[in-house]
Amino acid sequence: MDRPIGVIDSGLGGLTVAKELLRQLPKEEIVYVGDSKRCPYGPRPKAEVRTYTWQMINFLQTKNIKMLVIACNTAAAVVLEEVKKKLDIPVVGVIYPGASSAIKSTKKEHIAVIGTTGTIASGAYTTTLKNINSEVHVESLACPPFVPLVEQGIFDGEEAEHVVNQTLKPLADKQFDTLILGCTHYPLLTTVIKQWAGNQITLISSGEETAREVSGLLFHAGSAYTGERTPLHRFYTTGEEELFKRLADQWLEIDVGQVQTIFIDK
Amino acid sequence: MDRPIGVIDSGLGGLTVAKELLRQLPKEEIVYVGDSKRCPYGPRPKAEVRTYTWQMINFLQTKNIKMLVIACNTAAAVVLEEVKKKLDIPVVGVIYPGASSAIKSTKKEHIAVIGTTGTIASGAYTTTLKNINSEVHVESLACPPFVPLVEQGIFDGEEAEHVVNQTLKPLADKQFDTLILGCTHYPLLTTVIKQWAGNQITLISSGEETAREVSGLLFHAGSAYTGERTPLHRFYTTGEEELFKRLADQWLEIDVGQVQTIFIDK
């Protein structure tokens, strides 16, 4: 089906989901909206998150999207169910795909989740995991230094190792075998986190798993693009175009073309 | 939602999918039908496979199922699209979940698939993989000795190692990083295949991935069971009850209770 997949995020984090969509579904076209101007959503009241998220969705509905990915944990936690009910296209959040893949991966029924303070405080992953399997044991840890690190472009090296090792210390003596990277920024720290975790722990990236879920739902709905083409992706931000483009080019390792600033805050 | 998930297979192989459903979705109830009397489907004409598969589906429709899993590669290849169109519940096959997970897993865009002669000859995995990403490189190899090995209850040890090493020889010099176990029997040989493959190759079990796909679709449709209960699974065979029960108990590592023989071949 010749219609794009819409991706919304509070800013840049959702680009890790977009990157996986580009990799796993290279024929599909993406329309991305990042609300960089009002990022982060984490500390905002729910009503505000709801309004902002709907503004992005309404914008994307003018782009004839065939599926919507809410690539922001905070937004997904607040509006996913409501959006699923109101839209007549499939809607995917980032929490369930990561949670169900962790359930698949764990052999010890012992999972750890790391995320932003907001995500961890919401208990969204723990609730979702327990809803699937109430027997599963869940550790969770907020890792506030990780997002600033990534936003500075520090993905590995001595400083990254130091921050990761220090932050993850409370998990060191826990016996989990599966670790959910419950924030779309964290996959950029994969190398360092993997080094910390060793070979016995499986890392689950919500970006990878969300793209895999999108793939399954497209197939299920019979709406995958089946021809051959060079897809034309479009990127929109509510913030500064140049900054967004520089970081998007770097994260996605492609030239995203012209980024357009949009005004949806009315 | 208080309705069971239906699983059909040409015989016992689909029990590896059922096992993953029990593990990943422990609250859900399963109704399993294995057409052991007419197993295997692989060498049969398509029209026959179609008739037999519909007989199982018609039986399951009297069980008020909320989702159907076609856990047999051959049956899925023949009727999946048709069944999806005719049934008003979600229908999941075993090929797409394994293929899309392999696409997620591979970093080199180089995947190998092993399966029965029928599955490999059908090219179903290669076609599905290439439909998702035409750039991906696919090796495929039929492994006819694997099913008889498993059916004899030989899952590891010297004989299993010998058969696996001999059979997989043609793949030894290929540079793939992801190996799809494209037959529901093969996960029982995981230990030996893993030993052959080493740490650099990721094994994809279609059973694990299909259960994960079912989980996603249940969530998407809002039809997962969310209460607490000890689910009551039901197992039906067209063959001999006692033999089916003995093997099902062994494979699933639970007591499956009373297995019932059904007559659907009219």
Side-chain angles (χ1 to χ4, degrees):
Chain A
M1 191 190 278
D2 192 18
R3 289 163 60 190
I5 297 168
V7 180
I8 57 173
D9 184 59
S10 59
L12 290 159
L15 289 175
T16 58
V17 179
K19 187 173 184 169
E20 281 298 318
L21 288 170
L22 301 182
R23 189 177 72 83
Q24 293 181 40
L25 295 165
K27 293 179 186 176
E28 298 293 341
E29 276 181 355
I30 291 171
V31 190
Y32 186 100
V33 184
D35 196 3
S36 308
K37 190 178 160 190
R38 302 180 291 195
C39 180
Y41 280 11
R44 294 181 185 277
K46 280 186 185 181
E48 210 165 64
V49 171
R50 189 174 169 274
T51 307
Y52 292 178
T53 306
W54 271 111
Q55 286 172 340
M56 287 194 280
I57 295 170
N58 292 338
F59 172 76
L60 276 184
Q61 285 193 287
T62 68
K63 303 294 172 196
N64 194 29
I65 55 171
K66 63 181 171 185
M67 184 176 288
L68 174 69
V69 180
I70 304 181
C72 168
N73 278 286
T74 311
V78 173
V79 298
L80 181 62
E81 287 312 314
E82 174 188 336
V83 177
K84 271 170 77 172
K85 265 180 215 130
K86 288 205 180 152
L87 263 51
D88 58 0
I89 52 171
V91 182
V92 182
V94 281
I95 292 168
Y96 195 89
S100 57
S101 286
I103 293 276
K104 184 193 83 185
S105 150
T106 184
K107 302 296 176 199
K108 295 187 190 168
E109 299 201 331
H110 197 156
I111 295 166
V113 189
I114 55 176
T116 63
T117 308
T119 301
I120 297 302
S122 79
Y125 276 99
T126 306
T127 307
T128 305
L129 289 164
K130 294 268 187 190
N131 271 344
I132 304 175
N133 181 357
S134 46
E135 303 284 307
V136 88
H137 204 81
V138 185
E139 315 285 346
S140 48
L141 180 70
C143 300
F146 285 9
V147 171
L149 200 69
V150 169
E151 291 279 347
Q152 288 168 71
I154 304 171
F155 306 153
D156 46 28
E158 218 169 289
E159 187 181 347
E161 282 169 31
H162 179 74
V163 171
V164 166
N165 293 345
Q166 283 299 110
T167 311
L168 296 181
K169 249 186 192 159
L171 292 178
D173 60 340
K174 309 293 189 205
Q175 296 305 308
F176 59 92
D177 62 2
T178 301
L179 175 63
I180 302 176
L181 309 182
C183 167
T184 43
H185 280 76
Y186 295 2
L188 291 152
L189 295 170
T190 294
T191 312
V192 185
I193 297 174
K194 212 171 218 161
Q195 205 171 300
W196 175 87
N199 279 333
Q200 299 308 310
I201 295 172
T202 305
L203 302 194
I204 304 287
S205 143
S206 43
E208 278 184 22
E209 301 308 331
T210 301
R212 162 69 187 77
E213 185 101 333
V214 167
S215 176
L217 290 172
L218 283 181
F219 175 74
H220 185 73
S223 62
Y225 182 81
T226 50
E228 290 297 335
R229 65 173 171 191
T230 307
L232 185 67
H233 310 298
R234 281 162 290 168
F235 292 83
Y236 298 91
T237 176
T238 57
E240 205 193 298
E241 290 158 20
E242 266 180 60
L243 180 67
F244 188 97
K245 179 176 165 53
R246 201 170 64 236
L247 288 163
D249 283 352
Q250 188 191 350
W251 284 24
L252 299 180
E253 298 173 82
I254 57 165
D255 179 355
V256 303
Q258 208 200 329
V259 172
Q260 245 182 290
T261 297
I262 48 165
F263 304 96
I264 53 173
D265 52 346
K266 285 279 148 50
Chain B
M1 192 191 278
D2 191 19
R3 288 163 61 190
I5 297 168
V7 181
I8 58 173
D9 185 58
S10 59
L12 289 157
L15 290 174
T16 58
V17 179
K19 186 173 186 171
E20 280 299 317
L21 288 169
L22 301 182
R23 188 177 74 82
Q24 294 181 38
L25 294 165
K27 294 179 187 176
E28 298 293 341
E29 276 181 354
I30 291 172
V31 191
Y32 186 99
V33 183
D35 195 4
S36 307
K37 190 178 160 191
R38 302 181 290 194
C39 179
Y41 280 11
R44 294 182 185 276
K46 280 187 184 180
E48 209 166 63
V49 171
R50 188 174 170 274
T51 306
Y52 293 179
T53 307
W54 272 111
Q55 285 171 343
M56 289 195 279
I57 295 170
N58 291 338
F59 172 76
L60 276 183
Q61 284 193 287
T62 69
K63 304 293 172 197
N64 194 30
I65 56 171
K66 63 181 171 184
M67 184 176 290
L68 174 68
V69 181
I70 304 180
C72 168
N73 278 286
T74 311
V78 174
V79 297
L80 181 62
E81 286 312 314
E82 174 188 337
V83 177
K84 272 170 76 171
K85 266 180 214 132
K86 287 206 181 152
L87 263 51
D88 58 359
I89 52 172
V91 182
V92 182
V94 283
I95 292 167
Y96 195 89
S100 57
S101 286
I103 293 276
K104 184 194 84 187
S105 151
T106 185
K107 302 298 175 198
K108 294 186 191 170
E109 300 201 333
H110 197 157
I111 294 166
V113 189
I114 54 176
T116 63
T117 308
T119 302
I120 296 303
S122 79
Y125 276 99
T126 306
T127 308
T128 306
L129 289 164
K130 294 267 187 190
N131 271 345
I132 304 174
N133 181 358
S134 45
E135 303 285 307
V136 88
H137 203 80
V138 185
E139 313 286 345
S140 49
L141 180 70
C143 301
F146 285 9
V147 171
L149 201 70
V150 168
E151 291 279 347
Q152 290 169 70
I154 304 171
F155 305 154
D156 46 28
E158 218 168 289
E159 188 182 346
E161 282 169 31
H162 179 75
V163 171
V164 166
N165 293 345
Q166 283 299 110
T167 312
L168 296 181
K169 248 184 194 160
L171 293 177
D173 60 339
K174 309 292 190 203
Q175 297 305 309
F176 60 92
D177 62 2
T178 301
L179 175 63
I180 302 177
L181 309 183
C183 167
T184 45
H185 280 76
Y186 296 1
L188 292 152
L189 296 170
T190 295
T191 312
V192 184
I193 297 175
K194 212 171 217 161
Q195 206 171 299
W196 174 87
N199 279 331
Q200 300 308 311
I201 295 172
T202 305
L203 301 195
I204 304 288
S205 143
S206 43
E208 279 185 21
E209 301 308 330
T210 301
R212 162 69 187 78
E213 185 101 334
V214 167
S215 176
L217 289 172
L218 283 180
F219 175 75
H220 184 71
S223 64
Y225 182 80
T226 50
E228 290 297 336
R229 67 173 170 189
T230 308
L232 185 67
H233 310 297
R234 281 163 292 167
F235 292 84
Y236 298 91
T237 175
T238 56
E240 204 193 299
E241 290 159 19
E242 266 180 59
L243 180 68
F244 188 96
K245 179 175 165 53
R246 199 170 66 236
L247 288 164
D249 283 353
Q250 188 192 349
W251 284 24
L252 298 179
E253 298 173 88
I254 57 165
D255 179 354
V256 302
Q258 208 200 330
V259 172
Q260 246 181 289
T261 297
I262 48 165
F263 305 96
I264 53 172
D265 52 346
K266 288 275 151 44

